[in-house]
Amino acid sequence: MRSALRVLAILITLLFPLALWLGEGRVAPSWLAALLLLAGLARLPTAAPSGATRYWAGGAILLAISAFWSGGLLPLRFYPVLVNAAFLAVFAYSLIAPPSMIERLARLREPDFPAAAIAYTRRVTQVWCVFFTLNGAVALYTALFASMAQWSFYNGFLAYLLMGLLFAGEYCARCYFKRRHYGSNAQST
């Protein structure tokens, strides 16, 4: 049940910009707010009591309630800003209270971690912090000043494309790093 709720919340999260774009003028804002409310409520049972997911879910619920109260779409357009702020908070906090987020994720696959890799993963975490800051700023700009089509294009397509490019670029950099520090027999994962 928990995994089904998690999958539902992730699907709603990924498709939410498209739903807003398609729903504008066709569906009452309260129905779109209900969709975001559903995503937030679906994540609460799977969230750790003090985890970032709980704060994200709470923020999504507040945005949905704001949209119900205002009767408009503007609060819902702030959702990508909330997502970027939540990721930024988690990644930035991991720089203050190590290990860094990327190191934590990397250690899931490779528990034995050399010192050079710790510095590398810290740098990658910093790069992601810059990404979330810039992406959140553009998401805020599009929420306030762009048309719904422009907002949806950026937040529902271009932001994901940029994130994918950053993943791909980091993967290439990681392969180079591993070859340089571990020799030619290093795994490329």
Side-chain angles (χ1 to χ4, degrees):
M1 179 68 173
R2 285 179 181 255
S3 61
L5 288 174
R6 185 177 295 131
V7 169
L8 175 66
I10 290 170
L11 283 175
I12 292 171
T13 298
L14 292 175
L15 298 174
F16 191 70
L18 180 64
L20 279 187
W21 179 60
L22 293 175
E24 182 188 32
R26 295 179 186 93
V27 177
S30 59
W31 284 103
L32 296 168
L35 189 62
L36 185 57
L37 183 64
L38 178 63
L41 291 174
R43 287 304 295 251
L44 280 177
T46 64
S50 62
T53 301
R54 188 165 292 282
Y55 294 114
W56 165 86
I61 291 167
L62 287 176
L63 288 176
I65 291 169
S66 297
F68 281 123
W69 181 71
S70 71
L73 291 177
L74 183 60
L76 301 178
R77 289 174 66 157
F78 287 109
Y79 178 67
V81 179
L82 169 71
V83 171
N84 280 282
F87 276 118
L88 176 60
V90 169
F91 277 62
Y93 180 74
S94 77
L95 292 171
I96 297 166
S100 70
M101 182 55 65
I102 299 300
E103 180 183 344
R104 292 175 197 187
L105 295 172
R107 283 186 185 273
L108 295 174
R109 292 194 78 181
E110 299 176 31
D112 298 326
F113 226 59
I118 293 171
Y120 173 80
T121 55
R122 181 172 180 79
R123 178 65 64 191
V124 173
T125 301
Q126 292 169 340
V127 168
W128 277 103
C129 286
V130 170
F131 174 82
F132 292 131
T133 300
L134 295 175
N135 195 47
V138 174
L140 178 62
Y141 178 84
T142 61
L144 294 173
F145 303 113
S147 70
M148 184 59 80
Q150 293 166 329
W151 178 89
S152 294
F153 175 74
Y154 182 80
N155 294 290
F157 173 71
L158 195 53
Y160 293 127
L161 178 65
L162 293 172
M163 190 179 302
L165 289 172
L166 182 54
F167 271 120
E170 190 281 321
Y171 179 78
C172 292
R174 183 176 355 131
C175 290
Y176 173 78
F177 174 85
K178 284 184 169 186
R179 273 194 311 273
R180 186 170 174 215
H181 291 298
Y182 307 123
S184 61
N185 61 353
Q187 292 178 341
S188 61
T189 58

